[in-house]
Amino acid sequence: MKQLWLLKIGEIALKGGNRSLFERQLKKNIRFQLKEHLISYTGQRGRFYAETDGLSEEETAKRLSTVFGLSGFAVCLKTEKTADAVIEAAAEIVRKHLEQTKTAAVTFKAESRRADKAFPLDSYRLNCLVGDALCGRFPQLKVDVRNPQLTVGIEIRDHAYVYGNGTEGPGGLPVGCAGRGVLLLSGGIDSPVAGWLCAKRGLKPEAVYFHTYPYTSGDSLEKVKTLAQILSPWTCGLNLFCVNFTEIQLKIKAEARPNRTTILSRSAMMEIATRLASERHAGALVTGEALSQVASQTVETLRVTGSHTDLPVLRPVIGFDKQEIIRIAEKIGTYGTSILPYDDCCTLFSPEHPEIAPDFGELKKEFDRLSLTPLIEQAAASAERIYFSPES
Ligand code: ATP
Ligand code: MG
């Protein structure tokens, strides 16, 4: 069955000269989500209309709710530009709302926008006319212009468009408009949230996971794959690069001071991620580091890890406390997977008493002494790519 959807944009509407770039990316991402079910896409003045065919309303809403850049969307009726036609469409919207909510009494208001100034009624008069007509037809309705349960939206443009409450979108900016970034994705709570937050600002992540098979089990990899799958609708598909980190980790454990192993392996991860970024044309690295969360996330250690890349390191959860991160993880559906108890390479090899404020110069020297470059090159070159698409 065909449906027309009204799409509302958020921050894109504030853009100036390059607004069309953002709008084009949004259209591309909506097409990516709706695939062949999107049969037409038109737009005027910050409002876009997508016509779909063959998808249920529920499924379409589910897919649109992961498209960054949308502030909201609603199924919408397109009618002739006459007061009578608008009233009929508004009555249809009310009927559907009453059916879905099954409530005995509903407060509502009509909210018109008259983009076509040639339409004979101004917004106020159209609201009154539609409001009165609806109250006459549905005894369950009561007008409340301040805090209504149902808002019947009416837009007078090339046609009249009428819609109900609709659904809130995720906001942000369309994925892809801020280029690409390599996301260091561990199996923990923080890095999936970090990836999601960067995607919300338009960055398209390419994920990398470091495993120390056979010291870490295949289950750990499965966990990260599940996280990549959960993130994939938000990121318009997601590549996960799996890197064997075992030899590097063993060399560090054998040759470095025990209280420095975590920070040294993080440094090696940054170098591998930077190599991948260059291959994937990514302009940034993204991590789930939060200041003071653990020993490897102090200002001093962040300076060390940050010095192993020439790319900007985006750390979107740097100022969040754990509860705030968990709240987002729950919202996006990664939390349940992140807390599954499988070992990460860092937890297995981490020292009992890691250095909290390492001396920058000394650590750099210790890293150089390890001569990891050949192993780093080899690990980066043998990364295995797995692609996750939202529908798999
Ligand atoms: P997370 O919950 O994201 O695992 P964390 O609090 O456990 O974070 P750390 O283990 O100190 O923090 O890791 C800090 C960051 O380093 C992670 O957020 C992630 O970006 C990156 N990282 C750590 N381990 C790995 C790994 N095995 N593969 C990829 N990235 C990793
Ligand atoms: Mg971790």
Side-chain angles (χ1 to χ4, degrees):
M1 202 183 73
K2 285 188 184 168
Q3 271 168 352
L4 186 67
W5 290 78
L6 167 75
L7 310 172
K8 298 181 187 177
I9 55 173
E11 197 175 323
I12 298 175
L14 306 176
K15 296 285 169 200
N18 56 1
R19 176 167 159 176
S20 63
L21 287 177
F22 291 85
E23 289 180 348
R24 269 205 300 278
Q25 187 70 53
L26 180 69
K27 179 177 176 183
K28 216 167 134 187
N29 296 354
I30 287 171
R31 184 169 292 289
F32 177 87
Q33 279 293 355
L34 301 180
K35 304 260 166 351
E36 73 280 6
H37 301 291
L38 180 68
I39 53 176
S40 77
Y41 186 94
T42 51
Q44 311 157 330
R45 298 176 183 221
R47 288 289 204 255
F48 294 87
Y49 300 93
E51 199 180 1
T52 60
D53 193 12
L55 270 188
S56 68
E57 191 176 324
E58 217 183 11
E59 179 62 23
T60 311
K62 186 176 146 215
R63 295 190 192 189
L64 291 177
S65 66
T66 60
V67 177
F68 288 123
L70 290 178
S71 64
F73 47 86
V75 173
C76 148
L77 300 174
K78 181 176 171 180
T79 72
E80 266 176 64
K81 262 193 290 191
T82 64
D84 285 348
V86 168
I87 289 168
E88 285 313 313
E92 183 60 38
I93 297 289
V94 170
R95 209 170 292 125
K96 196 168 138 196
H97 181 87
L98 292 172
E99 232 173 72
Q100 282 171 351
T101 56
K102 297 192 171 52
T103 42
V106 173
T107 56
F108 89 107
K109 73 168 172 182
E111 194 171 73
S112 308
R113 282 173 166 225
R114 190 179 55 141
D116 173 8
K117 301 295 179 208
F119 188 73
L121 297 171
D122 65 20
S123 304
Y124 177 75
R125 281 164 61 213
L126 184 59
N127 289 343
C128 295
L129 193 73
V130 173
D132 287 347
L134 292 177
C135 284
R137 283 196 200 186
F138 300 94
Q140 306 93 316
L141 290 184
K142 196 168 159 263
V143 173
D144 178 351
V145 290
R146 282 179 200 282
N147 195 17
Q149 289 160 313
L150 170 66
T151 299
V152 179
I154 302 161
E155 308 214 348
I156 306 292
R157 298 176 183 274
D158 57 328
H159 285 79
Y161 297 88
V162 186
Y163 51 93
N165 284 344
T167 310
E168 214 178 290
L173 293 166
V175 166
C177 67
R180 292 188 197 184
V182 168
L183 165 68
L184 283 81
L185 183 65
S186 70
I189 298 168
D190 308 327
S191 48
V193 170
W196 184 84
L197 286 168
C198 280
K200 188 175 182 199
R201 299 306 300 162
L203 193 83
K204 179 152 174 69
E206 303 264 307
V208 57
Y209 170 62
F210 299 95
H211 64 83
T212 43
Y213 187 80
Y215 295 90
T216 46
S217 65
D219 288 342
S220 310
L221 174 61
E222 285 311 309
K223 182 179 168 181
V224 176
K225 283 193 201 168
T226 307
L227 291 173
Q229 181 67 65
I230 297 169
L231 287 176
S232 68
W234 302 97
T235 55
C236 293
L238 183 61
N239 282 313
L240 172 67
F241 292 86
C242 300
V243 172
N244 189 324
F245 200 62
T246 312
E247 284 199 48
I248 295 172
Q249 191 80 76
L250 290 175
K251 193 165 167 52
I252 292 173
K253 185 154 177 73
E255 297 177 22
R257 281 199 10 206
N259 60 351
R260 291 183 175 165
T261 51
T262 304
I263 179 81
L264 290 166
S265 53
R266 277 300 134 66
S267 303
M269 284 181 190
M270 297 302 264
E271 294 206 2
I272 296 171
T274 307
R275 283 173 156 76
L276 273 175
S278 151
E279 264 170 48
R280 304 297 303 168
H281 307 288
L285 303 186
V286 181
T287 75
E289 289 161 315
L291 194 61
S292 311
Q293 198 188 76
V294 287
S296 59
Q297 295 171 23
T298 62
V299 172
E300 291 82 359
T301 49
L302 294 179
R303 180 180 176 205
V304 174
T305 50
S307 73
H308 286 268
T309 182
D310 54 354
L311 297 175
V313 182
L314 308 182
R315 302 178 174 102
V317 300
I318 195 78
F320 287 18
D321 65 45
K322 202 73 187 184
Q323 274 314 315
E324 289 170 306
I325 301 173
I326 288 175
R327 225 172 289 135
I328 300 176
E330 284 174 335
K331 185 172 96 176
I332 65 178
T334 52
Y335 184 66
T337 304
S338 289
I339 57 172
L340 292 174
Y342 300 122
D343 284 325
D344 181 41
C345 64
C346 306
T347 40
L348 274 182
F349 288 88
S350 62
E352 245 180 87
H353 301 291
E355 211 169 25
I356 290 174
D359 180 88
F360 184 76
E362 264 190 44
L363 251 165
K364 291 291 267 188
K365 271 193 221 144
E366 179 137 17
F367 188 87
D368 291 344
R369 258 200 309 276
L370 289 166
S371 305
L372 292 172
T373 307
L375 290 180
I376 285 173
E377 272 168 8
Q378 193 191 333
S382 56
E384 279 176 47
R385 184 176 73 96
I386 310 171
Y387 176 70
F388 293 87
S389 79
E391 58 283 358
S392 53

